[in-house]
PDB file of all heavy atoms in Angstrom:
ATOM      1  N   PRO U   1       0.803  -1.208   0.000  1.00  0.00           N
ATOM      2  CA  PRO U   1       0.000   0.000   0.000  1.00  0.00           C
ATOM      3  C   PRO U   1       0.850   1.279   0.000  1.00  0.00           C
ATOM      4  O   PRO U   1       0.483   2.253  -0.622  1.00  0.00           O
ATOM      5  CB  PRO U   1      -0.842  -0.101   1.262  1.00  0.00           C
ATOM      6  CG  PRO U   1      -0.962  -1.580   1.522  1.00  0.00           C
ATOM      7  CD  PRO U   1       0.323  -2.148   1.026  1.00  0.00           C
ATOM      8  N   GLU U   2       1.954   1.258   0.714  1.00  0.00           N
ATOM      9  CA  GLU U   2       2.799   2.455   0.759  1.00  0.00           C
ATOM     10  C   GLU U   2       3.427   2.733  -0.602  1.00  0.00           C
ATOM     11  O   GLU U   2       3.575   3.889  -1.004  1.00  0.00           O
ATOM     12  CB  GLU U   2       3.868   2.298   1.833  1.00  0.00           C
ATOM     13  CG  GLU U   2       3.269   2.288   3.235  1.00  0.00           C
ATOM     14  CD  GLU U   2       4.132   1.542   4.233  1.00  0.00           C
ATOM     15  OE1 GLU U   2       5.202   1.047   3.866  1.00  0.00           O
ATOM     16  OE2 GLU U   2       3.707   1.462   5.394  1.00  0.00           O
ATOM     17  N   GLN U   3       3.789   1.674  -1.317  1.00  0.00           N
ATOM     18  CA  GLN U   3       4.370   1.859  -2.650  1.00  0.00           C
ATOM     19  C   GLN U   3       3.347   2.446  -3.612  1.00  0.00           C
ATOM     20  O   GLN U   3       3.691   3.262  -4.458  1.00  0.00           O
ATOM     21  CB  GLN U   3       4.899   0.532  -3.194  1.00  0.00           C
ATOM     22  CG  GLN U   3       6.127   0.041  -2.481  1.00  0.00           C
ATOM     23  CD  GLN U   3       6.561  -1.328  -2.972  1.00  0.00           C
ATOM     24  OE1 GLN U   3       5.721  -2.146  -3.335  1.00  0.00           O
ATOM     25  NE2 GLN U   3       7.852  -1.563  -2.982  1.00  0.00           N
ATOM     26  N   ILE U   4       2.110   2.039  -3.486  1.00  0.00           N
ATOM     27  CA  ILE U   4       1.044   2.569  -4.352  1.00  0.00           C
ATOM     28  C   ILE U   4       0.887   4.066  -4.116  1.00  0.00           C
ATOM     29  O   ILE U   4       0.721   4.837  -5.063  1.00  0.00           O
ATOM     30  CB  ILE U   4      -0.284   1.821  -4.115  1.00  0.00           C
ATOM     31  CG1 ILE U   4      -0.150   0.364  -4.592  1.00  0.00           C
ATOM     32  CG2 ILE U   4      -1.444   2.514  -4.824  1.00  0.00           C
ATOM     33  CD1 ILE U   4      -1.302  -0.523  -4.222  1.00  0.00           C
ATOM     34  N   GLN U   5       0.956   4.490  -2.863  1.00  0.00           N
ATOM     35  CA  GLN U   5       0.816   5.911  -2.548  1.00  0.00           C
ATOM     36  C   GLN U   5       1.927   6.743  -3.170  1.00  0.00           C
ATOM     37  O   GLN U   5       1.732   7.914  -3.486  1.00  0.00           O
ATOM     38  CB  GLN U   5       0.802   6.129  -1.027  1.00  0.00           C
ATOM     39  CG  GLN U   5      -0.373   5.508  -0.328  1.00  0.00           C
ATOM     40  CD  GLN U   5      -1.714   6.044  -0.800  1.00  0.00           C
ATOM     41  OE1 GLN U   5      -1.833   7.160  -1.260  1.00  0.00           O
ATOM     42  NE2 GLN U   5      -2.738   5.211  -0.709  1.00  0.00           N
ATOM     43  N   LYS U   6       3.089   6.148  -3.387  1.00  0.00           N
ATOM     44  CA  LYS U   6       4.234   6.874  -3.925  1.00  0.00           C
ATOM     45  C   LYS U   6       4.213   6.998  -5.453  1.00  0.00           C
ATOM     46  O   LYS U   6       5.018   7.730  -6.012  1.00  0.00           O
ATOM     47  CB  LYS U   6       5.534   6.194  -3.502  1.00  0.00           C
ATOM     48  CG  LYS U   6       5.794   6.294  -2.011  1.00  0.00           C
ATOM     49  CD  LYS U   6       7.066   5.578  -1.634  1.00  0.00           C
ATOM     50  CE  LYS U   6       7.278   5.593  -0.135  1.00  0.00           C
ATOM     51  NZ  LYS U   6       8.481   4.840   0.243  1.00  0.00           N
ATOM     52  N   VAL U   7       3.304   6.298  -6.132  1.00  0.00           N
ATOM     53  CA  VAL U   7       3.257   6.345  -7.596  1.00  0.00           C
ATOM     54  C   VAL U   7       2.861   7.748  -8.057  1.00  0.00           C
ATOM     55  O   VAL U   7       1.822   8.272  -7.672  1.00  0.00           O
ATOM     56  CB  VAL U   7       2.282   5.294  -8.169  1.00  0.00           C
ATOM     57  CG1 VAL U   7       2.110   5.470  -9.671  1.00  0.00           C
ATOM     58  CG2 VAL U   7       2.758   3.895  -7.844  1.00  0.00           C
ATOM     59  N   ASP U   8       3.713   8.341  -8.872  1.00  0.00           N
ATOM     60  CA  ASP U   8       3.448   9.662  -9.444  1.00  0.00           C
ATOM     61  C   ASP U   8       2.849   9.458 -10.830  1.00  0.00           C
ATOM     62  O   ASP U   8       3.489   8.869 -11.699  1.00  0.00           O
ATOM     63  CB  ASP U   8       4.748  10.455  -9.543  1.00  0.00           C
ATOM     64  CG  ASP U   8       4.555  11.852 -10.101  1.00  0.00           C
ATOM     65  OD1 ASP U   8       3.413  12.239 -10.415  1.00  0.00           O
ATOM     66  OD2 ASP U   8       5.563  12.561 -10.215  1.00  0.00           O
ATOM     67  N   PRO U   9       1.615   9.946 -11.072  1.00  0.00           N
ATOM     68  CA  PRO U   9       0.981   9.727 -12.373  1.00  0.00           C
ATOM     69  C   PRO U   9       1.747  10.363 -13.532  1.00  0.00           C
ATOM     70  O   PRO U   9       1.525  10.021 -14.680  1.00  0.00           O
ATOM     71  CB  PRO U   9      -0.407  10.337 -12.223  1.00  0.00           C
ATOM     72  CG  PRO U   9      -0.336  11.222 -11.041  1.00  0.00           C
ATOM     73  CD  PRO U   9       0.744  10.693 -10.166  1.00  0.00           C
ATOM     74  N   GLU U  10       2.663  11.240 -13.236  1.00  0.00           N
ATOM     75  CA  GLU U  10       3.445  11.879 -14.288  1.00  0.00           C
ATOM     76  C   GLU U  10       4.418  10.900 -14.962  1.00  0.00           C
ATOM     77  O   GLU U  10       4.980  11.205 -16.000  1.00  0.00           O
ATOM     78  CB  GLU U  10       4.207  13.085 -13.740  1.00  0.00           C
ATOM     79  CG  GLU U  10       3.305  14.258 -13.426  1.00  0.00           C
ATOM     80  CD  GLU U  10       2.536  14.760 -14.641  1.00  0.00           C
ATOM     81  OE1 GLU U  10       3.138  14.942 -15.714  1.00  0.00           O
ATOM     82  OE2 GLU U  10       1.314  14.952 -14.514  1.00  0.00           O
ATOM     83  N   PHE U  11       4.587   9.704 -14.368  1.00  0.00           N
ATOM     84  CA  PHE U  11       5.503   8.752 -14.984  1.00  0.00           C
ATOM     85  C   PHE U  11       5.047   8.355 -16.382  1.00  0.00           C
ATOM     86  O   PHE U  11       5.864   8.051 -17.240  1.00  0.00           O
ATOM     87  CB  PHE U  11       5.715   7.512 -14.109  1.00  0.00           C
ATOM     88  CG  PHE U  11       4.663   6.443 -14.267  1.00  0.00           C
ATOM     89  CD1 PHE U  11       4.789   5.459 -15.244  1.00  0.00           C
ATOM     90  CD2 PHE U  11       3.557   6.405 -13.445  1.00  0.00           C
ATOM     91  CE1 PHE U  11       3.827   4.474 -15.394  1.00  0.00           C
ATOM     92  CE2 PHE U  11       2.598   5.419 -13.587  1.00  0.00           C
ATOM     93  CZ  PHE U  11       2.736   4.458 -14.563  1.00  0.00           C
ATOM     94  N   ILE U  12       3.736   8.416 -16.648  1.00  0.00           N
ATOM     95  CA  ILE U  12       3.285   8.054 -17.995  1.00  0.00           C
ATOM     96  C   ILE U  12       3.682   9.109 -19.015  1.00  0.00           C
ATOM     97  O   ILE U  12       3.897   8.801 -20.175  1.00  0.00           O
ATOM     98  CB  ILE U  12       1.776   7.737 -18.064  1.00  0.00           C
ATOM     99  CG1 ILE U  12       0.917   8.941 -17.729  1.00  0.00           C
ATOM    100  CG2 ILE U  12       1.424   6.563 -17.187  1.00  0.00           C
ATOM    101  CD1 ILE U  12      -0.547   8.737 -18.040  1.00  0.00           C
ATOM    102  N   SER U  13       3.801  10.352 -18.563  1.00  0.00           N
ATOM    103  CA  SER U  13       4.287  11.408 -19.456  1.00  0.00           C
ATOM    104  C   SER U  13       5.789  11.254 -19.671  1.00  0.00           C
ATOM    105  O   SER U  13       6.280  11.362 -20.795  1.00  0.00           O
ATOM    106  CB  SER U  13       3.990  12.790 -18.879  1.00  0.00           C
ATOM    107  OG  SER U  13       2.606  12.991 -18.807  1.00  0.00           O
ATOM    108  N   ALA U  14       6.511  11.020 -18.590  1.00  0.00           N
ATOM    109  CA  ALA U  14       7.967  10.864 -18.682  1.00  0.00           C
ATOM    110  C   ALA U  14       8.332   9.667 -19.554  1.00  0.00           C
ATOM    111  O   ALA U  14       9.312   9.714 -20.300  1.00  0.00           O
ATOM    112  CB  ALA U  14       8.567  10.709 -17.288  1.00  0.00           C
ATOM    113  N   ALA U  15       7.534   8.605 -19.482  1.00  0.00           N
ATOM    114  CA  ALA U  15       7.797   7.405 -20.284  1.00  0.00           C
ATOM    115  C   ALA U  15       7.187   7.514 -21.680  1.00  0.00           C
ATOM    116  O   ALA U  15       7.274   6.582 -22.465  1.00  0.00           O
ATOM    117  CB  ALA U  15       7.242   6.175 -19.572  1.00  0.00           C
ATOM    118  N   LYS U  16       6.537   8.655 -21.956  1.00  0.00           N
ATOM    119  CA  LYS U  16       5.901   8.937 -23.242  1.00  0.00           C
ATOM    120  C   LYS U  16       4.773   7.963 -23.572  1.00  0.00           C
ATOM    121  O   LYS U  16       4.451   7.724 -24.723  1.00  0.00           O
ATOM    122  CB  LYS U  16       6.935   8.986 -24.362  1.00  0.00           C
ATOM    123  CG  LYS U  16       7.990  10.065 -24.133  1.00  0.00           C
ATOM    124  CD  LYS U  16       8.827  10.298 -25.358  1.00  0.00           C
ATOM    125  CE  LYS U  16       9.979  11.213 -25.086  1.00  0.00           C
ATOM    126  NZ  LYS U  16       9.729  12.572 -24.901  1.00  0.00           N
ATOM    127  N   ILE U  17       4.170   7.409 -22.537  1.00  0.00           N
ATOM    128  CA  ILE U  17       3.035   6.510 -22.726  1.00  0.00           C
ATOM    129  C   ILE U  17       1.802   7.303 -23.147  1.00  0.00           C
ATOM    130  O   ILE U  17       0.958   6.812 -23.886  1.00  0.00           O
ATOM    131  CB  ILE U  17       2.754   5.706 -21.439  1.00  0.00           C
ATOM    132  CG1 ILE U  17       3.942   4.789 -21.141  1.00  0.00           C
ATOM    133  CG2 ILE U  17       1.472   4.899 -21.548  1.00  0.00           C
ATOM    134  CD1 ILE U  17       3.874   4.093 -19.806  1.00  0.00           C
ATOM    135  N   THR U  18       1.695   8.560 -22.705  1.00  0.00           N
ATOM    136  CA  THR U  18       0.528   9.369 -23.031  1.00  0.00           C
ATOM    137  C   THR U  18       0.370   9.567 -24.531  1.00  0.00           C
ATOM    138  O   THR U  18      -0.738   9.784 -25.016  1.00  0.00           O
ATOM    139  CB  THR U  18       0.597  10.753 -22.355  1.00  0.00           C
ATOM    140  OG1 THR U  18       1.827  11.373 -22.689  1.00  0.00           O
ATOM    141  CG2 THR U  18       0.461  10.649 -20.855  1.00  0.00           C
ATOM    142  N   GLN U  19       1.458   9.474 -25.262  1.00  0.00           N
ATOM    143  CA  GLN U  19       1.377   9.651 -26.709  1.00  0.00           C
ATOM    144  C   GLN U  19       0.540   8.562 -27.367  1.00  0.00           C
ATOM    145  O   GLN U  19      -0.025   8.764 -28.434  1.00  0.00           O
ATOM    146  CB  GLN U  19       2.779   9.669 -27.326  1.00  0.00           C
ATOM    147  CG  GLN U  19       3.600  10.862 -26.893  1.00  0.00           C
ATOM    148  CD  GLN U  19       5.036  10.783 -27.374  1.00  0.00           C
ATOM    149  OE1 GLN U  19       5.495   9.760 -27.852  1.00  0.00           O
ATOM    150  NE2 GLN U  19       5.743  11.889 -27.242  1.00  0.00           N
ATOM    151  N   SER U  20       0.487   7.397 -26.748  1.00  0.00           N
ATOM    152  CA  SER U  20      -0.266   6.294 -27.342  1.00  0.00           C
ATOM    153  C   SER U  20      -1.630   6.099 -26.688  1.00  0.00           C
ATOM    154  O   SER U  20      -2.373   5.194 -27.069  1.00  0.00           O
ATOM    155  CB  SER U  20       0.546   5.003 -27.265  1.00  0.00           C
ATOM    156  OG  SER U  20       0.813   4.662 -25.922  1.00  0.00           O
ATOM    157  N   LEU U  21      -1.984   6.943 -25.716  1.00  0.00           N
ATOM    158  CA  LEU U  21      -3.282   6.842 -25.058  1.00  0.00           C
ATOM    159  C   LEU U  21      -4.232   7.903 -25.594  1.00  0.00           C
ATOM    160  O   LEU U  21      -3.834   9.047 -25.785  1.00  0.00           O
ATOM    161  CB  LEU U  21      -3.138   7.060 -23.545  1.00  0.00           C
ATOM    162  CG  LEU U  21      -2.395   6.005 -22.747  1.00  0.00           C
ATOM    163  CD1 LEU U  21      -2.294   6.436 -21.292  1.00  0.00           C
ATOM    164  CD2 LEU U  21      -3.090   4.667 -22.838  1.00  0.00           C
ATOM    165  N   THR U  22      -5.471   7.518 -25.814  1.00  0.00           N
ATOM    166  CA  THR U  22      -6.485   8.518 -26.155  1.00  0.00           C
ATOM    167  C   THR U  22      -6.744   9.331 -24.894  1.00  0.00           C
ATOM    168  O   THR U  22      -6.458   8.874 -23.781  1.00  0.00           O
ATOM    169  CB  THR U  22      -7.797   7.847 -26.609  1.00  0.00           C
ATOM    170  OG1 THR U  22      -8.339   7.110 -25.502  1.00  0.00           O
ATOM    171  CG2 THR U  22      -7.585   6.955 -27.817  1.00  0.00           C
ATOM    172  N   PRO U  23      -7.299  10.518 -25.020  1.00  0.00           N
ATOM    173  CA  PRO U  23      -7.608  11.309 -23.827  1.00  0.00           C
ATOM    174  C   PRO U  23      -8.490  10.559 -22.831  1.00  0.00           C
ATOM    175  O   PRO U  23      -8.272  10.631 -21.630  1.00  0.00           O
ATOM    176  CB  PRO U  23      -8.320  12.536 -24.398  1.00  0.00           C
ATOM    177  CG  PRO U  23      -7.772  12.684 -25.775  1.00  0.00           C
ATOM    178  CD  PRO U  23      -7.562  11.274 -26.255  1.00  0.00           C
TER     179      PRO U  23
END
Side-chain angles (χ1 to χ4, degrees):
E2 292 154 1
Q3 290 176 327
I4 293 171
Q5 296 300 333
K6 292 178 184 177
V7 173
D8 181 0
E10 288 300 313
F11 84 88
I12 64 169
S13 295
K16 300 192 188 287
I17 295 172
T18 54
Q19 294 173 349
S20 61
L21 292 177
T22 64

